[in-house]
Amino acid sequence: VYVDNDPIVLAHARAILKTDGRTRVIAADMREPESILDHPEVTGFLDFSRPIGLLLVAVVHHLSDDDKPHELVDVYKSRLAPGSYLQLTHFCSCAPEVRELEAVLLDMLGTGRARDLDEITRFFDGLELVEPGVVHVPEWRPERPVSYPLGLGGLCTAGGVGRKP
């Protein structure tokens, strides 16, 4: 189930996925988890009593601290069956260059903020992290050796995968 609250993005997603019977698209805001988790298109399609994958890719960094992002992610995790996986990526404030760009990024994005590795790792509380844990995205199971130092593109996003025991 693809979820977004941007009408243009939703129109594009619907156009791309209209012939894919294995996918649903709904308009909703992740800050309202029950409106997503209890949506008929979701409950009629996903079986939350069985393991599923929850992909929060490049979305949680849109939430400000006032949105209580860790608590929101906890609501989603609480509905997952044992054996389910969470994949999450997030803008990372680990490097001075990223911290300098944060104001520019947030001006473009509207809301949210970059978070450090400890804050990003907290989104996986209660889950078993899959190796190599929460790292910069180019370091997560690379297909070829990673070149160091990481460039700005490699430093600005971190993420991981966790399994619900």
Side-chain angles (χ1 to χ4, degrees):
V1 177
Y2 178 79
V3 180
D4 210 306
N5 65 353
D6 182 312
I8 294 171
V9 173
L10 282 164
H12 186 68
R14 286 185 175 113
I16 291 172
L17 299 170
K18 69 180 176 187
T19 61
D20 185 342
R22 300 170 299 166
T23 307
R24 302 293 185 270
V25 178
I26 65 168
D29 190 319
M30 81 163 295
R31 291 172 288 205
E32 300 171 0
E34 287 79 15
S35 73
I36 296 169
L37 296 168
D38 297 330
H39 191 287
E41 285 285 337
V42 173
T43 59
F45 188 63
L46 297 177
D47 180 355
F48 283 95
S49 70
R50 299 180 55 172
I52 62 170
L54 173 60
L55 306 177
L56 296 177
V57 178
V59 65
V60 178
H61 54 239
H62 290 282
L63 302 175
S64 70
D65 290 340
D66 291 341
D67 291 318
K68 299 182 178 172
H70 290 95
E71 289 86 347
L72 282 171
V73 172
D74 285 347
V75 172
Y76 289 99
K77 291 186 309 189
S78 73
R79 295 283 288 269
L80 299 176
S84 295
Y85 285 86
L86 165 66
Q87 177 195 12
L88 184 142
T89 64
H90 196 296
F91 283 145
C92 184
S93 63
C94 303
E97 302 92 336
V98 176
R99 290 190 296 274
E100 291 170 12
L101 283 174
E102 184 175 29
V104 174
L105 291 170
L106 293 179
D107 186 51
M108 292 170 34
L109 298 174
T111 64
R113 73 174 188 86
R115 292 179 171 86
D116 64 30
L117 283 175
D118 288 338
E119 291 174 297
I120 297 168
T121 301
R122 281 186 40 223
F123 289 112
F124 295 94
D125 283 357
L127 304 179
E128 299 167 344
L129 279 170
V130 174
E131 288 296 325
V134 176
V135 295
H136 292 100
V137 170
E139 298 171 316
W140 211 93
R141 297 191 180 189
E143 292 181 5
R144 55 187 171 279
V146 176
S147 297
Y148 291 97
L150 291 174
L152 185 57
L155 291 170
C156 71
T157 307
V161 175
R163 181 181 180 277
K164 187 168 183 178

